[in-house]
Amino acid sequence: MVAPLRVGIAGLGTVGAEVVGLIERQKRALSLRCGRGIRVVAVSARSKVKKRNVDLTGIAWAKNALAIATDPKIDVFVELMGGVGDPALSAIEAALRSGKSVVTANKALIAKHGSRLSALAEKHGGALNYEAAVGAAIPVIKTLREGLAGTDIDRVYGILNGTCNYILTRMEREGLSFAECLKDAQRLGYAEANPSFDVDGHDTAQKLAILASLAFGTKVNQSAVYVEGISSIAPEDLRAAQELGYRVKLLGVAVKTETGIEQRVHPTMVPRTSSIAQVMDVTNAVTIDGDGIPPITLVGPGAGGAATASAVVADIADIARGVRALPFGRPVAKLKVTTKAPMKRHEGGYYIRLMARDLAGTAATIATRLAEQKISIESIVQRHPDGTFDVDKPAGKSQPVPVILITYATTEDAVRRALHAVQQDRVITGKPQVIRIEKN
Amino acid sequence: MVAPLRVGIAGLGTVGAEVVGLIERQKRALSLRCGRGIRVVAVSARSKVKKRNVDLTGIAWAKNALAIATDPKIDVFVELMGGVGDPALSAIEAALRSGKSVVTANKALIAKHGSRLSALAEKHGGALNYEAAVGAAIPVIKTLREGLAGTDIDRVYGILNGTCNYILTRMEREGLSFAECLKDAQRLGYAEANPSFDVDGHDTAQKLAILASLAFGTKVNQSAVYVEGISSIAPEDLRAAQELGYRVKLLGVAVKTETGIEQRVHPTMVPRTSSIAQVMDVTNAVTIDGDGIPPITLVGPGAGGAATASAVVADIADIARGVRALPFGRPVAKLKVTTKAPMKRHEGGYYIRLMARDLAGTAATIATRLAEQKISIESIVQRHPDGTFDVDKPAGKSQPVPVILITYATTEDAVRRALHAVQQDRVITGKPQVIRIEKN
């Protein structure tokens, strides 16, 4: 029997406490699965006296994270403190330098320092596992790194932020505004007091950058992600989406193009019958398009103490079994550098909602401006104040009337030029709403 | 640089040829991911002259599978011949005995001989990987074996047979009969000339037995699975399901109960809004309920040359990286023995369709018989010959009229006794249709 794996955990919030409890409860199964025991030997946290729902008897209390990271009697350093910089970062660096393996749930840190830390892990022979950083218990990191190791990946996309999906779900179901739903999400603990990181798409962007690196063999680069959040989405967009056979989701999309890897986060219209459209409330999902094979979709909880702890413990179990996967699936020296794909080059269909001044010929003007940019229109619909739709028929009322256009595939550039011209024509008021359409 | 991993492949059908092609196309990526090359050095197949869409230049042609399995110049034996017995079985045994690792896509063989082969792999230090045996490219084996290694699993269930799901999808969409859809499936190559293995649920049962073993640490035991196929499903069942908010799927379900692991395959009504209900056509899906965490669902292609090859190559890549997972996640000696859970003990809600003789009081008689068995009725609906539904109102026509009942959770036993009594009462004609409901 091999000696037990000695684990030190820095950070005893909800996840940290769950990890300690799970390792204890699953002691026997883990030992069978790994061929050796897993034992939490040390923990650290800001407050030693705080009441926690876990038994810490027999576990040493370390002075701080660095003390665990550098303790020669510990094999694996588990970082559950969070934060993109110190103390988490320097503790992880110290642990890797000492040849320890590291497990972390810290997406921000992996998105920012992943390549550098990965190089350290490679050099010193430790693992750097971070399954919990994206999609919690959904095994998306393992799937991209190992399960699809032989498959050339064309695209990976998903719903990576539960807060945004919860807000969009409630807006659609109850016809509420973004602001109302956000307030509720905050009350229920699904959104932070400062919600910008979630609702403006930055959380999704960090996770997407990590997935893109694993899928395409590129250096993780969060700044290469084009980001747009959900705060501009109005109930009428969701209503229109429904009537047109779509649903609006905040997607992170990374796709191989002729000019490199395009990474983008923005509200997206997806076909209502697609797998991704069925993912509601706080649930997350990731779809992977491999060369020549139908899409694979992984759905599940993207957050929560137990779900996150599940992934952390699986990462520890891999280390106990002796597995040392390259953190990004390939040697860091071989990861390619990606640059930001300018969104003006994005190709696809578009949903456009305009407030048309009620002038005869508005639809014709809009259609002409789009035609000048060679944009083909799949449908143009004018919503009457009573909520009904009509095709190509002016409403005949004096206030602005919403006009909704669906275009066939075109480029971001063409859409922007056409809308600029329409604005110059003064046939619309306000800023047009533009939502990209992702087929299947 | 470690020497390349030398692979021998027995069987050059669609999957075998795809594996050879994929390893060649992905040569560079695989070598980066694994830290060493992967090279197909020998193949065998029944016909050497058959035209195949793959370049075999530089690959030795072995006399037969056994020659590959025992060749000391080969590291991994890949079995893609199929068949539950020889020559596949004895070749795999020989390969494992010689210390080689084995990769196979052969679910029938793993379901029948999995435990014994796993013991051989353990004894001689080789891997026995079979990701492709269930759900093709969907990484469900890896997820159960590694991704959820730290999580206590309560239930695993899924749509594991594309043929059945295709037939049920078309029956629902087009209102066709089972026989018509089966004929079409055969014409399109989705169903075999002898379709029994698929439509009677045996293929699903084999896959379920494998998943149950991984999920619950039991010896794989196909004969412990209760099996019922889809041939009795009628278009009116699918119509009724739709109106009641359900969809009918052939599910394989393995669930932990107080008396052991219950494994069953049967048509199931699932809530129309559930993830599993969205899985249409030949797509497969598996949902895993872990202790304390929301369900994780993996969706994707369950068959097809490229999808199966993707899983086979990932299994080979794991071996190249030096990973030797226990085939069923735990030592064979520690796997528990399961026995068949008698279906009379199954608890849940039921859909029951009866042909009621058109007598006043039929509904009352049925309701009384159910009440005697302490079965609570959620709804009782009588379908008029014009296709409309009515609650609790005799149709007043002279031919038998379908009556549809939805019960609250009850036991299989109680349902059988109640229906037996109803038949004795002579208020119905023919055999009642019974479909279990799985709430999630």
Side-chain angles (χ1 to χ4, degrees), chain B residues 70-343:
Chain B
T70 53
D71 183 342
K73 294 190 299 299
I74 285 172
D75 305 306
V76 180
F77 174 64
V78 180
E79 185 276 306
L80 300 171
M81 296 177 283
V84 75
D86 287 334
L89 180 60
S90 52
I92 289 177
E93 286 172 335
L96 290 174
R97 275 208 196 87
S98 76
K100 284 188 179 51
S101 286
V102 169
V103 174
T104 177
N106 192 331
K107 62 181 171 280
L109 191 139
I110 293 293
K112 185 156 185 193
H113 306 289
S115 302
R116 197 162 53 80
L117 296 176
S118 184
L120 267 184
E122 265 177 54
K123 184 173 169 192
H124 298 279
L128 172 60
N129 289 350
Y130 52 88
E131 183 64 69
V134 183
I138 310 170
V140 58
I141 306 291
K142 192 176 259 293
T143 296
L144 285 170
R145 193 162 59 187
E146 303 167 27
L148 294 170
T151 304
D152 197 29
I153 294 171
D154 299 320
R155 183 172 63 157
V156 54
Y157 65 99
I159 295 168
L160 301 171
N161 181 276
T163 307
C164 289
N165 207 45
Y166 173 82
I167 290 173
L168 290 172
T169 299
R170 289 214 44 201
M171 284 178 70
E172 181 188 317
R173 278 200 194 128
E174 301 169 39
L176 300 173
S177 73
F178 169 77
E180 287 169 296
C181 290
L182 173 59
K183 214 185 294 169
D184 254 27
Q186 286 172 320
R187 194 175 47 76
L188 291 164
Y190 292 156
E192 305 289 331
N194 177 356
S196 166
F197 181 66
D198 287 318
V199 302
D200 292 338
H202 303 300
D203 174 78
T204 302
Q206 288 182 347
K207 293 169 179 167
L208 182 69
I210 295 171
L211 297 186
S213 174
L214 287 157
F216 302 113
T218 53
K219 277 212 162 72
V220 58
N221 181 4
Q222 193 193 330
S223 67
V225 185
Y226 171 89
V227 187
E228 217 175 272
I230 61 166
S231 59
S232 77
I233 301 294
E236 48 264 45
D237 296 320
L238 304 186
R239 224 159 34 226
Q242 176 155 15
E243 291 173 42
L244 294 160
Y246 292 97
R247 184 167 266 156
V248 178
K249 294 292 182 190
L250 182 74
L251 289 196
V253 182
V255 60
K256 199 189 280 173
T257 72
E258 281 176 15
T259 54
I261 306 303
E262 181 183 297
Q263 300 179 61
R264 49 197 166 83
V265 173
H266 50 69
T268 310
M269 294 232 177
V270 293
R272 232 179 151 69
T273 51
S274 63
S275 290
I276 210 95
Q278 317 307 324
V279 177
M280 303 301 268
D281 300 304
V282 295
T283 304
N284 284 19
V286 176
T287 296
I288 303 159
D289 289 345
D291 183 34
I293 66 175
I296 293 172
T297 301
L298 315 181
V299 186
T308 308
S310 164
V312 169
V313 174
D315 274 352
I316 297 172
D318 268 356
I319 294 165
R321 292 193 300 119
V323 176
R324 297 287 178 277
L326 291 168
F328 288 95
R330 304 168 208 225
V332 173
K334 301 289 185 183
L335 294 174
K336 286 160 285 177
V337 172
T338 45
T339 50
K340 189 160 183 165
M343 273 305 282

Side-chain angles (χ1 to χ4, degrees), chain B residues 372-387:
Chain B
E372 284 168 8
Q373 299 299 331
K374 310 214 183 314
I375 300 173
S376 299
I377 301 173
E378 188 181 309
S379 65
I380 176 164
V381 171
Q382 192 163 286
R383 188 183 272 281
H384 287 265
D386 65 1

